[in-house]
Amino acid sequence: HFVQKMLVTLLGILLVYIIVWVATLIRNNLKTYEAIGEAEHLQRTINVEAEGVATARPDIAVTTIGMISEGKTVAESQEKNTAVMNKLSERVRAMGVEAKDMRTVSYNIYPMYDYTEKEGRVLKGYEVNQQLEIKIRNLENANTVLSLAGEVGANSVSGLNFTIDDKEVYLAEARGKALERIKEKTLSLTQALGIRVLGLVS
């Protein structure tokens, strides 16, 4: 019995060592996996930050004008809606706004219901909602374009949003200024620390 107990004890100790050894291998493999793709010598990099600012005035105005029409049938609602929106498009084009600066941003058809105690929900007609986004390049015409809504019968108008048509030009200018400042900072740091730059990490 003593020998059996000793064997069981030794086997138990051996089993514990095997479990610990396997767990250690798994942990090391996980650490290696997590480190894949990371730079080996992060301690040999310096982070330099800089900000560049570009200022610009808005050069376009954007507004959305639409029509919400109701009718007993979809066709009736669409006919009312189309008449107003076609007239609006014609008037806007006559003011010099090109077709590429007008786009329909939404066109929806909704059923409308009445509710009665006797019959419950009863279909009474359809609503057509169409919204046209207009980009106005001549800012002097902005208020005139808005006034067209009332003249042609459009009943949905959003306010004017003044913005920049091509933002990338100014973003590039700002990036250029930021990079120039980074270059200056890097030169100053390398001279102060007595080191040289080997390359750009990111």
Side-chain angles (χ1 to χ4, degrees), residues 4-18:
Q4 288 180 348
K5 287 182 179 180
M6 287 294 295
L7 287 174
V8 169
T9 302
L10 290 173
L11 286 174
I13 294 172
L14 179 61
L15 182 60
V16 169
Y17 273 111
I18 291 174

Side-chain angles (χ1 to χ4, degrees), residues 65-156:
I65 300 177
M67 180 65 184
I68 302 173
S69 306
E70 297 181 359
K72 292 184 178 180
T73 64
V74 172
E76 181 183 342
S77 300
Q78 287 177 319
E79 185 177 355
K80 293 178 182 179
N81 194 285
T82 301
V84 171
M85 296 305 290
N86 284 347
K87 190 183 298 183
L88 173 65
S89 297
E90 291 173 5
R91 295 285 300 276
V92 171
R93 283 198 298 269
M95 293 183 61
V97 178
E98 299 181 20
K100 66 182 180 66
D101 290 330
M102 294 186 291
R103 67 185 184 101
T104 298
V105 291
S106 66
Y107 188 95
N108 299 297
I109 301 173
Y110 305 102
M112 300 184 300
Y113 297 95
D114 276 334
Y115 295 86
T116 63
E117 292 184 4
K118 182 178 180 181
E119 300 181 7
R121 189 172 72 168
V122 179
L123 180 66
K124 71 171 185 177
Y126 294 89
E127 174 188 289
V128 174
N129 186 335
Q130 181 178 358
Q131 301 294 320
L132 182 69
E133 184 184 82
I134 304 169
K135 186 184 292 184
I136 307 164
R137 298 185 182 277
N138 185 352
L139 297 182
E140 294 181 357
N141 291 335
N143 289 327
T144 307
V145 171
L146 283 182
S147 67
L148 289 177
E151 295 177 15
V152 301
N155 55 15
S156 174

Side-chain angles (χ1 to χ4, degrees), residues 22-73:
V22 170
T24 302
L25 285 178
I26 293 173
R27 184 191 62 183
N28 291 339
N29 286 334
L30 286 175
K31 285 185 177 181
T32 303
Y33 176 77
E34 290 174 355
I36 291 175
E38 292 184 359
E40 292 183 6
H41 301 289
L42 291 179
Q43 71 273 15
R44 304 186 69 176
T45 65
I46 297 176
N47 294 326
V48 182
E49 294 184 2
E51 183 180 89
V53 178
T55 304
R57 288 185 176 182
D59 55 7
I60 62 168
V62 179
T63 187
T64 302
I65 300 177
M67 180 65 184
I68 302 173
S69 306
E70 297 181 359
K72 292 184 178 180
T73 64

